[in-house]
Amino acid sequence: QKEVEQNSGPLSVPEGAIASLNCTYSDRGSQSFFWYRQYSGKSPELIMSIYSNGDKEDGRFTAQLNKASQYVSLLIRDSQPSDSATYLCAVGTDQGGKLIFGQGTELSVKP
Amino acid sequence: GAVVSQHPSRVICKSGTSVKIECRSLDFQATTMFWYRQFPKQSLMLMATSNEGSKATYEQGVEKDKFLINHASLTLSTLTVTSAHPEDSSFYICSPLRGRETQYFGPGTRLLVL
């Protein structure tokens, strides 16, 4: 059974701090990784995708991938209250675009 | 990104009735559509995968006769919840596949069965 694990949180950080969200996966052969943000009552929206080891930056967001450790993370710099949401980690499979989702980490940014 | 619409956004129905949810991919052609269900405080649960012009593939434990999926065109897929019951109340979200593996989600349909 392929699995994706995330701490459910809630993770609470003060405004302006760096929020670090972590995700581990079980299938060593996984090649594609995604971070989605989901506000309460809304559907998920894609934040970033990452395919190669290392860091990928997009504005205040940085995704980090370490395939040897089977670990992917998302850093949010200068966290804002509007970043408060649940963050879902998803890992691609070799089954026609199917994703395996983690349980999500709830982030709360306090003003 | 991608532009995906779902209709209706919210529906309340009586137990035993059927509800049809439409999902449209507005700015690209989606050969593959995923349908998810999400209960409160839980993660997404994949229900089925549909390919345009083919029968849908259902995940284990999802009744194909209860959740009818039609993917007749590259821009429209529908999910019909037949003979809905209160336990079917959930947030239903479609997700067209763009390219090989990037999924974008529709805004979702909140179903409440009384």
Side-chain angles (χ1 to χ4, degrees):
Chain A
Q1 180 85 4
K2 298 175 183 177
E3 294 182 345
V4 177
E5 300 283 343
Q6 294 181 257
N7 289 326
S8 60
L11 172 66
S12 183
V13 300
E15 183 174 357
I18 296 175
S20 177
L21 304 157
N22 305 315
C23 173
T24 58
Y25 58 95
S26 63
D27 184 4
R28 187 170 287 279
S30 299
Q31 298 292 322
S32 54
F33 308 87
F34 304 85
W35 282 101
Y36 289 86
R37 175 175 63 196
Q38 186 174 24
Y39 291 112
S40 180
K42 303 293 186 183
S43 67
E45 56 180 316
L46 181 65
I47 299 175
M48 290 187 74
S49 58
I50 186 166
Y51 303 92
S52 304
N53 278 328
D55 295 0
K56 179 180 178 182
E57 188 175 315
D58 184 359
R60 295 187 295 113
F61 299 97
T62 298
Q64 298 176 317
L65 175 60
N66 184 325
K67 289 184 181 179
S69 301
Q70 294 172 239
Y71 176 94
V72 58
S73 65
L74 180 70
L75 301 178
I76 306 174
R77 287 182 300 282
D78 187 24
S79 295
Q80 301 296 309
S82 58
D83 295 324
S84 298
T86 295
Y87 289 79
L88 299 166
C89 171
V91 177
T93 68
D94 56 1
Q95 300 171 44
K98 263 192 197 179
L99 298 176
I100 300 175
F101 283 88
Q103 288 294 100
T105 298
E106 184 183 347
L107 172 67
S108 177
V109 181
K110 304 292 187 185
Chain B
V3 182
V4 184
S5 72
Q6 264 184 258
H7 177 80
S9 59
R10 185 180 297 264
V11 59
I12 300 173
C13 69
K14 291 182 180 179
S15 186
T17 59
S18 294
V19 174
K20 180 189 262 189
I21 300 169
E22 290 188 350
C23 175
R24 294 181 186 274
S25 170
L26 299 179
D27 62 343
F28 70 99
Q29 294 182 325
T31 305
T32 300
M33 183 74 73
F34 299 97
W35 284 94
Y36 292 87
R37 179 167 56 179
Q38 188 176 37
F39 293 107
K41 298 293 185 183
Q42 294 187 24
S43 192
L44 299 167
M45 187 193 86
L46 179 64
M47 298 175 67
T49 304
S50 70
N51 290 299
E52 185 260 341
S54 303
K55 286 186 179 180
T57 303
Y58 291 81
E59 296 298 303
Q60 195 171 11
V62 178
E63 300 174 56
K64 62 178 170 46
D65 295 329
K66 182 172 183 62
F67 299 99
L68 303 178
I69 292 173
N70 184 286
H71 191 166
S73 79
L74 292 173
T75 58
L76 173 64
S77 177
T78 61
L79 166 68
T80 301
V81 183
T82 62
S83 186
H85 288 96
E87 58 266 28
D88 299 321
S89 299
S90 188
F91 190 41
Y92 292 87
I93 315 171
C94 65
S95 177
L97 180 66
R98 185 165 198 169
R100 277 182 48 224
E101 55 194 353
T102 303
Q103 290 187 34
Y104 294 93
F105 289 89
T109 297
R110 197 161 299 280
L111 171 63
L112 176 61
V113 185
L114 301 176

